[in-house]
Amino acid sequence: MTLLKSRVESANTPDTDFPLNNLPFGIFSTEGTAPRAATALGDRIVDLAVLEADGRIDAGAPVFGAAELNPFMERGPAAWAAVRAQLQALFAEGATTPVEDALSPLAAARMHLPFRVAEYTDFYASKRHAMNVGTMFRGPENALPPNWLHIPIGYNGRASSVVVSGTDILRPNGQRKGPDEEVPSFGPSRRMDIELEMGAVVGVPSPMGKPITVDEAEEMIFGYVMLNDWSSRDIQAWEYAPLGPFQGKAFGTSISPWVVTRAALEPFRVPVPPREKPLLPYLDQSLPGLYDIALEVGMQPEGAGQETVITRTNYRNLYYSAAQQLAHHAVGGCGMRVGDLLGSGTISGEEKGSFGSLLELSWGGKEPITLAGGETRSFIEDGDRLTFRGAALGEGYRVGFGECTGRILPAVPGPWGAK
């Protein structure tokens, strides 16, 4: 597919994340106004509540004045497709229906969490990441758990800790135990990390007790966000056996403010990699399950004059698709809700410069990375800002996610005698 020309000129430039091909959904406000739904077009934000008020767009019920996208998602795939078609017609090059009253500068908008997160589940779906971390934690001979090539491994996270891009994250306190320490100590995490992920947003529910196929799961996904599952590696390493991550992951997960729809990503579908072991039939998928989305992470210490891009990878470097993860989630009878968020797991490529976490990039802290200003990092220091970017690249256009950014602030002192 080529660029769809828009009457909004800034949407026709090859470097914008938001051409007419994209039309992501988010929640915004401006000074003195309440949060409401919007889409982005070039350097403009489009107030969907204004367009809905007089029928220029119609989702079948009033939904865009709400401070979350859940009411729109609840309308289902037919409404999603109808609104997308209406917006593309309204903003196509040569269209004459007045729209100026719905447009304002994107730079002046305050973005909010785009949807109410019902539940949050994080998966572990990149083979290279699993191999890297398994090698560091358990040795190369036991790097992959025996179930990894058969099942999308995941854990239930904390919906209460999911925040929108731009929200500062406090360094967590917790128990830590180094390999040479006899007993654990308590205090701020010393090994703060990122996890470069994508998140799938569920827009169609399924009832408790009803399994779904992978193809049905595809139709349930409303869209995707960039996701940073901030991680405390020292807290995680001490607590994770036998039940997996807990406090080392519960303190913060950042997502991008724009949900890019499945329809916008459709031209960029790519197949999952060849199966090293046959999957059970309930995980069969008829569509190419992944997307060709280029991803990068920038790191900027507090006071530094410039950012350093520390990794570049691609969403296609996953072993399991979001639809396979969703189908597996429901196969035992777990009901899914509108607003469920499924993290892909850290996305790592085959080369060191494409690893999706500092744990891998610095190989457990043994090989610090050098930033543009000469500083080095093994893990995140207080004041460091991490910025995720991602875009699917078409012919003369890009379908982008904007930025997913966050800064680590010092841990809050407590009454525990933390040091």
Side-chain angles (χ1 to χ4, degrees), residues 5 8 29 33 48-49 91 197 199-200 230 233 245 290 301 310 391:
K5 287 296 188 71
V8 176
S29 65
T33 66
L48 299 181
F91 288 97
E197 304 190 25
W230 301 91
R233 299 302 185 187
L290 299 176
I310 58 174

Side-chain angles (χ1 to χ4, degrees), residues 7 23-24 40 59 82 109 144 161 167 173 196 212 242 263 272 276 294 302 364 396 411:
R7 65 200 290 184
L23 296 176
L144 278 188
S161 301
T167 305
N173 291 299
L196 172 56
I212 56 176
V272 294
E276 295 186 29
E302 188 171 27

Side-chain angles (χ1 to χ4, degrees), residues 28-36 47 110 112:
F28 87 112
S29 65
T30 51
E31 189 173 355
T33 66
R36 56 208 184 274
D47 189 331
R110 178 188 174 191
H112 302 266

Side-chain angles (χ1 to χ4, degrees), residues 113 115-121 156-164 167-169 229 246-247 249-254 339 341:
L113 195 68
F115 58 96
R116 184 177 70 258
V117 181
E119 307 283 354
Y120 169 50
T121 306
N156 289 312
R158 292 290 302 170
S160 62
S161 301
V162 179
V163 295
V164 72
T167 305
D168 292 334
I169 302 292
D229 193 29
F246 185 44
Q247 296 294 349
K249 300 278 192 167
F251 60 93
T253 300
S254 300
L341 176 64

Side-chain angles (χ1 to χ4, degrees), residues 101-134:
D101 58 327
L103 296 175
S104 59
L106 181 58
R110 178 188 174 191
M111 302 305 298
H112 302 266
L113 195 68
F115 58 96
R116 184 177 70 258
V117 181
E119 307 283 354
Y120 169 50
T121 306
D122 193 46
F123 285 87
Y124 190 48
S126 164
K127 183 168 182 278
R128 175 47 54 193
H129 173 69
M131 288 289 295
N132 287 342
V133 174

Side-chain angles (χ1 to χ4, degrees), residues 3-22:
L3 174 71
L4 298 177
K5 287 296 188 71
S6 172
R7 65 200 290 184
V8 176
E9 284 300 323
S10 61
N12 299 327
T13 59
D15 58 343
T16 181
D17 273 349
F18 307 121
L20 193 58
N21 305 66
N22 192 347

Side-chain angles (χ1 to χ4, degrees), residues 16 39 65 113 175 192 228 341 369:
T16 181
T39 189
L113 195 68
Q175 285 198 31
M192 274 293 299
N228 181 359
L341 176 64
I369 60 175

Side-chain angles (χ1 to χ4, degrees), residues 115-203:
F115 58 96
R116 184 177 70 258
V117 181
E119 307 283 354
Y120 169 50
T121 306
D122 193 46
F123 285 87
Y124 190 48
S126 164
K127 183 168 182 278
R128 175 47 54 193
H129 173 69
M131 288 289 295
N132 287 342
V133 174
T135 297
M136 281 184 267
F137 280 23
R138 294 181 297 275
E141 65 283 355
N142 296 308
L144 278 188
N147 59 355
W148 199 93
L149 294 172
H150 299 273
I151 189 173
I153 296 174
Y155 73 95
N156 289 312
R158 292 290 302 170
S160 62
S161 301
V162 179
V163 295
V164 72
S165 170
T167 305
D168 292 334
I169 302 292
L170 292 172
R171 182 180 297 270
N173 291 299
Q175 285 198 31
R176 319 149 304 188
K177 181 182 177 300
D180 300 324
E181 296 173 340
E182 282 191 39
V183 296
S185 60
F186 183 90
S189 170
R190 298 167 180 150
R191 292 164 70 94
M192 274 293 299
D193 202 357
I194 57 168
E195 289 194 337
L196 172 56
E197 304 190 25
M198 299 291 294
V201 183
V202 175

